[in-house]
């Protein structure tokens, strides 16, 4: 890969802008560059009056692996979590409906992108996990879009256990809109949603999205600063440093029993 190759590929056709995560070297992790390119792609879609919807999807077997651990330390520990807050908020604030299409693994921060999207379709290869608890962390800033949407008992279970679950369970608990049983069904589901959205007016779509996201927006207004600070504190802790080292070294963390 050369530095000139984009990590997010942006295409527009048939009134739809598609943003494709294409950073295979780090499993589409949320590096500062990838997040910046996603911001830019959302801005392109928002500025095009002919666009009715945005599709957020991925290449390869991983939708998004979460935070880029190679960038997890720095002089200001709030930079990473605040950057993810701003990216999730950009998805929520985009005047065009955003549809996440996931047919691969989504972990930690990747679930925040799915939660920020207005609609989400999960294919047969999709798996999900809140892995933070196993790294000495917590799903802090990704809870801003997710807590208003997730079934509370399910949130407790998967936040605490870090278990992997599939598309059908993701639909049951409110993480995704629809689970598709095959790759073909995933395409059919996406086509149906896009065909419906193409019939909406720009004003109608923007205002309807604003109404649907009212509680999510309140979550950001109320809790963003507190959760950024929590995330920064956890990332800088000794337990998290051990957890991230153990993950990178492919060994159990010291607390595992």
């Amino acid at each position: 890969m050369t530095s000139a190759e984009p990590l997010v590929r942006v295409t527009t056709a048939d009134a739809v802008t598609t943003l494709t995560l294409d950073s295979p070297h780090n499993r589409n992790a949320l590096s500062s560059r990838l997040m910046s390119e996603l911001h830019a792609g959302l801005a392109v879609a928002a500025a095009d009056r002919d666009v009715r919807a945005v599709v957020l999807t991925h290449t390869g077997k991983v939708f998004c692996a979460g935070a880029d651990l190679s960038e997890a330390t720095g002089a200001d520990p709030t930079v990473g979590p605040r950057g993810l807050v701003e990216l999730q908020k950009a998805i929520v604030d985009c005047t065009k409906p955003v549809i996440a299409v996931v047919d691969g693994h989504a972990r930690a921060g990747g679930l925040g992108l799915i939660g920020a999207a207005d609609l989400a379709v999960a294919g047969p290869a999709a798996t999900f996990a809140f892995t933070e608890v196993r790294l000495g962390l917590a799903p802090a800033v990704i809870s801003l879009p997710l807590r208003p949407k997730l079934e509370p008992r399910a949130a407790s279970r998967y936040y605490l256990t870090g278990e992997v679950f599939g598309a059908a369970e993701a639909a049951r608990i409110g993480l995704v809109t629809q689970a598709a049983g095959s790759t073909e069904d995933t395409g059919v589901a996406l086509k149906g949603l896009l065909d419906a959205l193409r019939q909406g007016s720009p004003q109608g779509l923007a205002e309807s999205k604003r109404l649907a996201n009212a509680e999510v927006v309140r979550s950001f207004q109320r809790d963003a600063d507190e959760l950024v600070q929590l995330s920064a504190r956890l990332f800088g802790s000794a337990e998290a440093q051990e957890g991230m080292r153990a993950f990178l070294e492919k060994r159990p963390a010291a607390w595992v029993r």
Side-chain angles (χ1 to χ4, degrees), residues 82-251:
R82 194 168 297 284
L84 182 51
V85 168
E86 292 170 354
L87 177 57
Q88 293 175 130
K89 190 67 162 48
I91 295 171
V92 172
D93 287 345
C94 180
T95 55
K96 314 300 169 80
V98 177
I99 306 175
V101 180
V102 183
D103 200 17
H105 308 309
R107 300 290 184 265
L111 278 69
L113 301 185
I114 298 167
D118 303 286
L119 303 165
V121 177
T127 69
F128 308 88
F130 294 94
T131 52
E132 293 91 344
V133 70
R134 300 186 181 189
L135 297 177
L137 303 168
V141 298
I142 68 172
S143 287
L144 293 168
L146 284 169
R147 282 188 307 191
K149 297 182 179 182
L150 292 178
E151 194 279 322
R153 281 294 188 185
S156 294
R157 174 178 177 174
Y158 294 118
Y159 276 24
L160 291 169
T161 66
E163 293 172 278
V164 176
F165 55 96
E169 178 69 352
R172 185 190 73 80
I173 69 175
L175 177 60
V176 304
T177 310
Q178 188 170 349
S182 69
T183 301
E184 181 180 358
D185 289 344
T186 305
V188 170
L190 176 60
K191 182 180 184 302
L193 292 172
L194 291 175
D195 285 347
L197 293 173
R198 287 189 185 97
Q199 298 180 53
S201 79
Q203 175 177 275
L205 290 171
E207 292 303 317
S208 296
K209 171 170 176 164
R210 186 177 64 82
L211 288 170
N213 278 333
E215 187 56 38
V216 173
V217 170
R218 281 191 283 270
S219 175
F220 277 87
Q221 293 170 339
R222 183 183 62 238
D223 299 328
D225 289 341
E226 177 185 348
L227 293 179
V228 165
Q229 294 302 322
L230 171 61
S231 183
R233 176 172 63 80
L234 292 176
F235 265 102
S237 69
E239 277 194 17
Q241 295 302 310
E242 160 60 14
M244 288 186 281
R245 281 195 304 270
F247 174 79
L248 293 171
E249 295 167 5
K250 302 186 188 315
R251 61 171 174 81

Side-chain angles (χ1 to χ4, degrees), residues 17 23 44 97 152 179 224:
T17 293
S23 182
V44 167

